Amino acid sequence: MNATRLITTALISSALLAGLAWAQTPAPQTMQPSAASAAAPLTLAQLHARLQAAGYRQVQELEQERERVEAKAQDREGRWVKLELDAHTGAVLQSKPGSAPREAQASGLDLGQLLSQLEGAGYRAIRKIERERDRVEVRAEDAQGRRVKLALDPQTGAVRSR
């Protein structure tokens, strides 16, 4: 009987120790994407607003290239700069001196206002907006999901041509 009791005690002790060891084994790590890479990129309208909040003015261009957005604007001191932004956070990754536009910017709607009008008209996935002399060039998708190139009137935001 002592032998049976000894064997039973040994088996129970072994099972308990094995259970404790298994419970303390860390679970395998899974690759979790970083919050920035998992999040959708900001829209050009959101990036424009962030640039303005950071003190940039007269934004002349926003163009998304994969995970980066190129921008041309004036900084707080009035210098023209070319910026490289993170498309997910809006953080300025690089700032280089730029040149002033060839012609003075005509009065009219700023890029933020034009972006709002485009979104209101059903355009989405806007990848580029650039002020050029007497027009604003846009690359986007229309309401049916077709890629389009637009020329806008900078004064009114009206589509001049597709």
Side-chain angles (χ1 to χ4, degrees):
M1 211 144 128
N2 286 339
T4 307
R5 194 177 294 186
L6 184 62
I7 292 172
T8 305
T9 305
L11 285 174
I12 291 173
S13 298
S14 303
L16 287 173
L17 289 174
L20 287 174
W22 180 80
Q24 291 180 353
T25 303
Q29 296 295 322
T30 57
M31 294 296 291
Q32 296 293 328
S34 69
S37 65
L42 297 171
T43 66
L44 293 188
Q46 292 169 320
L47 289 166
H48 183 271
R50 289 187 183 204
L51 284 172
Q52 286 191 317
Y56 293 96
R57 300 288 175 251
Q58 293 195 37
V59 179
Q60 298 293 301
E61 177 182 358
L62 290 166
E63 183 173 8
Q64 186 168 359
E65 298 285 336
R66 300 179 192 243
E67 303 298 311
R68 306 272 191 255
V69 175
E70 294 177 4
K72 293 179 187 171
Q74 275 186 323
D75 66 11
R76 285 189 170 135
E77 288 78 35
R79 297 177 299 222
W80 287 97
V81 291
K82 290 182 182 181
L83 303 168
E84 185 176 315
L85 310 172
D86 182 291
H88 297 277
T89 65
V92 176
L93 303 173
Q94 187 175 36
S95 177
K96 297 189 276 189
S99 57
R102 289 176 279 215
E103 296 180 14
Q105 177 178 338
S107 62
L109 302 174
D110 71 17
L111 293 190
Q113 293 167 317
L114 292 168
L115 286 163
S116 293
Q117 281 189 359
L118 287 166
E119 290 172 350
Y123 292 97
R124 58 181 191 242
I126 302 170
R127 296 289 176 241
K128 177 181 180 179
I129 185 163
E130 181 177 11
R131 187 177 290 274
E132 289 282 341
R133 296 182 189 169
D134 63 343
R135 70 183 187 287
V136 176
E137 295 179 2
V138 176
R139 278 193 341 234
E141 289 180 7
D142 65 12
Q144 289 75 38
R146 297 178 298 228
R147 290 183 181 176
V148 294
K149 291 182 181 179
L150 307 171
L152 306 180
D153 181 310
Q155 303 296 319
T156 65
V159 176
R160 289 183 178 168
S161 64
R162 284 183 165 228

